Amino acid sequence: MKRSLVKFLGRALLAGGAFVSPWGQAQCTPGWDTSFGVPTTDSISGQVKTSIMYDDGTGPVLYVAGDFLTLGGSLVQGIAKFDGQQWVSLGGGVRAELQTTFVSPEPVGVVHEMVVFDLNGAGPNRPVLVVAGKFKSVDGSQVPSQSLAAWDGHQWMDLSDGLEKSVPESNSPPEVFALAVYDSGSGSRLYAGGDFAVASGSLFGMAQWDGTSWVSVGGNGLTLLGGFGPPHGRVNHLMTFNDGTGTALYASGYFNGFIEVPGTKGIARWDGSTWSSVGGGRPGEFEIYRTVPFDSDGPGGAGPQLHAVGGSLHRWSGSAWTNVGAIPEGSSGSCFGGETGATVFDDGSGGGPALFIGGNGSCLGLTQVHLVKYNGSTFSVLGSDVFGGIATDDSRLMWIGHLAAYNLGGTNRLLAGGFFAGTHDAPMSGMMEWNG
């Protein structure tokens, strides 16, 4: 049944598990939807890198962010929400001053991640939407901010105190790729990962918010990496997960390890007091772009296991890594490389939830593969017979860097964001939704 995701989020009512739609009967045509129910949505000037549901006091709606300047015919500068009828800017959005993005000649900033967090704890104010990326101001140029800010539904506030550039002589602001909220038992705390420095420029890559500024996490930072890329590496992704030994925060990315913590190359575990190794560090030779909990055994199995996406797919059992990737390590091609999105989604095909991975590269005989499905035992490329041609070897398609699954009124929706021209049936750049 084809209903638009943003219509669900923007105007539908969810009460007692029942879904009430104000549009009457839905169309029964599965496929990619680029309009989101709004004729002008297919005019987007960049790519969607992240999305989230946030309630600013008027009800939960969909927020999307990335490096776009316009969306749906509106000037939004990197971030927007859908109010049920149109895409709306959040004040003046995010700006990079003199820096331009890959897809926009204007000085729009880049948003990599968003998370909802209660800055006041038990205080009277509602949780805010924390926005991280690479920018120099928010609300146009009204509020200076070094790549971390918060939106409370009405106004922007800077949230970058204590965050510094990893290379002091650089003209670019620090870059934050990851956010997570983690409670080790003493209350929820906000964590950030990326390419930046804290503690007066002496520690790199990881930080936690202490209520007034960003400070180090356990007094450890990323070790010197050298070679190409950031000199101390970067944290690409943060997530909380319980591998059977208790819930912890997992940091993954492109780094040699954490200071004085052996076996932490590419991935490490934080339990609220100390960093520790995850199976000796990064499995394989490829950078980890994202980690996802996924129950590869299905119903009746051992429960979700941590899956690391980067070059190939690896599964952490709690004691050892297993390579379950579609391509051997060390091969010349990579299904999952560069900008990579991954999420667990039930497409209604009867096999239950599966792990969907988007990216770029080559495998399984196709010159460009952008979306694959892993059901716990085998991989399948989603081609034109399944997903409207998004995984064909069409040279117009470049990468899918963001995937998010939403369930609304019992109906699953998959949002894809990235840099692509769309599909044969649904031409668009930057964002699409699968209506199964």
Side-chain angles (χ1 to χ4, degrees), residues 120-346:
N120 302 107
N125 297 331
R126 69 174 53 257
V128 298
L129 180 65
V130 181
V131 175
K134 188 175 185 178
F135 47 84
K136 291 186 176 182
S137 64
V138 290
D139 198 10
S141 299
Q142 301 301 309
V143 181
S145 178
Q146 294 293 300
S147 302
L148 267 163
W151 170 257
D152 67 2
H154 305 285
Q155 61 184 359
W156 285 100
M157 64 190 80
D158 176 40
L159 208 66
S160 62
D161 188 63
L163 205 68
E164 305 170 35
K165 295 178 288 189
S166 60
V167 180
E169 60 271 20
S170 171
N171 291 324
S172 297
E175 190 161 13
V176 183
F177 291 97
L179 293 170
V181 177
Y182 170 55
D183 186 351
S184 62
S186 58
S188 295
R189 303 202 75 173
L190 178 63
Y191 292 81
D195 174 18
F196 56 77
V198 291
S200 299
S202 62
L203 296 174
F204 302 87
M206 277 294 303
Q208 58 183 325
W209 181 251
D210 70 358
T212 57
S213 66
W214 293 97
V215 297
S216 70
V217 182
N220 304 95
L222 301 184
T223 60
L224 187 66
L225 180 64
F228 296 103
H232 290 84
R234 62 177 173 265
V235 172
N236 291 333
H237 190 234
L238 295 172
M239 63 161 291
T240 58
F241 179 70
N242 187 347
D243 66 359
T245 60
T247 301
L249 179 70
Y250 288 75
S252 56
Y254 178 64
F255 51 83
N256 269 343
F258 281 82
I259 297 173
E260 298 181 350
V261 186
T264 54
K265 183 177 183 179
I267 187 168
R269 180 182 184 273
W270 170 255
D271 65 4
S273 59
T274 58
W275 287 101
S276 60
S277 173
V278 182
R282 182 183 72 194
E285 297 299 321
F286 296 100
E287 175 180 356
I288 297 176
Y289 294 97
R290 186 162 294 272
T291 51
V292 184
F294 171 56
D295 188 353
S296 58
D297 299 321
Q305 295 174 313
L306 187 69
H307 288 70
V309 180
S312 58
L313 182 66
H314 287 79
R315 178 171 59 239
W316 172 246
S317 67
S319 59
W321 288 103
T322 301
N323 182 7
V324 296
I327 49 177
E329 294 178 335
S331 66
S332 59
S334 169
C335 282
F336 323 121
E339 302 241 1
T340 301
T343 193
V344 176
F345 175 66
D346 187 346

